[in-house]
Amino acid sequence: MTSQQYFVDLHIHTAASDGIFTPQELVKQASLKGLKAIAITDHDAWDAIEPISSLAFKVGIEVIPGIELSTNIEGTEIHILGYFIDYTQSQFQERVLHFKNARIERAHRMVEKLAELGVRLEIARVLEIAGSGSVGRPHVARALAEEGYVGGTDEAFTRYLGNGCPAYVPKNFLTPRESFDLVHSVGGLAFFAHPGIENRDGLIDRFASQGLDGLEVWHSKHSNSQVKNYLDIARQKNLLVCGGSDCHSDNLMNNGGGSVKVPYSVVQEMKRRLANKKEKQA
Ligand SMILES: [Zn+2]
Ligand SMILES: [Zn+2]
């Protein structure tokens, strides 16, 4: 069998963030599906990597240590996947947690400011609306609309949450560029996650010039034509490709009905790129 016939799932969430997989369940499924490699990419978390790696090692499945970071640029949330990261480095962990906490703190402060204005929201509801995403102004805006304080989310921004408005709280977010540097600082590769959902392909050139290593081409929510499009873009710009299901609770290689088949060769390409980078640094 050639390596092309092996498959991988490089975008998996576990119970360490907003998924439901325990290490045992995940490794069992990966084994049943005959996967050669998996990457654990929890949101701002790495706790599942170690237990999964030791279980997977016993059944011959390679585990790539990963993470999914939430970044912001021009008001858009962009997710960046880091692969082959040395997540054990304390400086890395501190920075990831700093930005994660900054988002939650900001949501709390917005709710506090609203309360001072006589507008009462439950922070728990705001966090619930945010769900697996990173909490931010859109979720506060939806809670305001739900409670009938505003006619819609646009009004929430113009009356309360927009820059200079009474419940505005300045942000302290990770930018995509900072996330590339952060991933590189622990020896990893940075990928633009599910670009087909974000619909901001215009950013790819800028990201590439800032150090982005690749695109998530295969994703359970990408159409066949999007997959082809991102393969073309990656080829043109000498970017790596990766892919995964982004599953939180469904089957591996599957998420909400969309299935992905990602060849093991993408992992080999990543390793080649990392080896080249090391050679250049030496
Ligand atoms: Zn994502
Ligand atoms: Zn994800």
Side-chain angles (χ1 to χ4, degrees):
M1 219 194 253
T2 69
S3 59
Q4 262 70 24
Q5 289 162 299
Y6 290 115
F7 295 100
V8 300
D9 190 336
L10 304 181
H11 193 154
I12 300 168
H13 295 275
T14 77
S17 65
D18 55 347
I20 60 157
F21 280 121
T22 63
Q24 287 79 4
E25 284 163 346
L26 179 51
V27 173
K28 194 176 156 198
Q29 265 217 39
S31 183
L32 284 171
K33 301 227 170 192
L35 293 178
K36 186 168 171 68
I38 52 175
I40 310 307
T41 54
D42 278 313
H43 296 283
D44 305 316
W46 46 83
D47 311 18
I49 299 173
E50 178 60 42
I52 289 170
S53 301
S54 46
L55 284 175
F57 180 75
K58 292 180 194 155
V59 290
I61 296 171
E62 184 178 345
V63 175
I64 295 158
I67 197 158
E68 184 167 22
L69 298 169
S70 300
T71 74
N72 280 73
I73 183 167
E74 296 158 3
T76 305
E77 186 170 323
I78 300 284
H79 288 177
I80 300 298
L81 292 161
Y83 292 115
F84 292 102
I85 52 166
D86 179 2
Y87 60 93
T88 62
Q89 291 195 28
S90 58
Q91 269 189 333
F92 171 81
Q93 295 187 351
E94 278 161 24
R95 260 178 81 74
V96 171
L97 292 180
H98 168 79
F99 286 107
K100 182 187 180 183
N101 292 336
R103 287 169 184 281
I104 298 167
E105 250 164 56
R106 183 175 186 233
H108 276 271
R109 285 198 52 211
M110 283 189 277
V111 169
E112 280 163 20
K113 279 195 158 189
L114 285 165
E116 285 164 22
L117 300 165
V119 175
R120 306 213 172 266
L121 290 183
E122 294 288 339
I123 184 69
R125 179 60 193 144
V126 174
L127 296 173
E128 193 179 28
I129 292 171
S132 65
S134 302
V135 65
R137 284 188 296 179
H139 311 113
V140 180
R142 270 184 52 197
L144 282 168
E146 259 184 20
E147 291 298 316
Y149 286 113
V150 291
T153 52
D154 284 350
E155 193 191 333
F157 274 84
T158 52
R159 273 182 68 187
Y160 296 112
L161 306 173
N163 288 18
C165 292
Y168 176 73
V169 178
K171 62 189 173 200
N172 176 18
F173 289 155
L174 191 65
T175 64
R177 179 184 211 144
E178 287 169 331
S179 78
F180 308 151
D181 293 345
L182 184 58
V183 167
H184 293 154
S185 75
V186 286
L189 295 167
F191 283 70
F192 186 171
H194 41 71
I197 298 178
E198 258 55 73
N199 206 14
R200 293 292 304 271
D201 291 359
L203 291 169
I204 294 173
D205 265 333
R206 195 195 308 180
F207 288 172
S209 73
Q210 293 174 341
L212 182 77
D213 299 290
L215 300 177
E216 187 177 43
V217 166
W218 296 273
H219 183 274
S220 47
K221 294 199 167 60
H222 281 177
S223 66
N224 287 342
S225 64
Q226 282 177 317
V227 169
K228 194 188 166 300
N229 175 42
Y230 291 119
L231 274 175
D232 286 344
I233 293 176
R235 210 168 288 135
Q236 284 160 21
K237 303 186 191 303
N238 193 29
L239 289 167
L240 292 168
V241 298
C242 75
S245 61
D246 203 359
C247 65
H248 289 71
S249 58
D250 287 0
N251 287 326
L252 274 182
M253 301 168 81
N254 233 292
N255 180 23
S259 66
V260 291
K261 269 204 150 182
V262 184
Y264 183 70
S265 57
V266 305
V267 174
Q268 293 170 308
E269 286 299 323
M270 286 184 192
K271 289 178 179 171
R272 226 165 272 150
R273 183 73 59 100
L274 279 173
N276 284 343
K277 280 193 179 196
K278 266 197 191 135
E279 215 166 82
K280 273 186 197 154
Q281 281 162 4

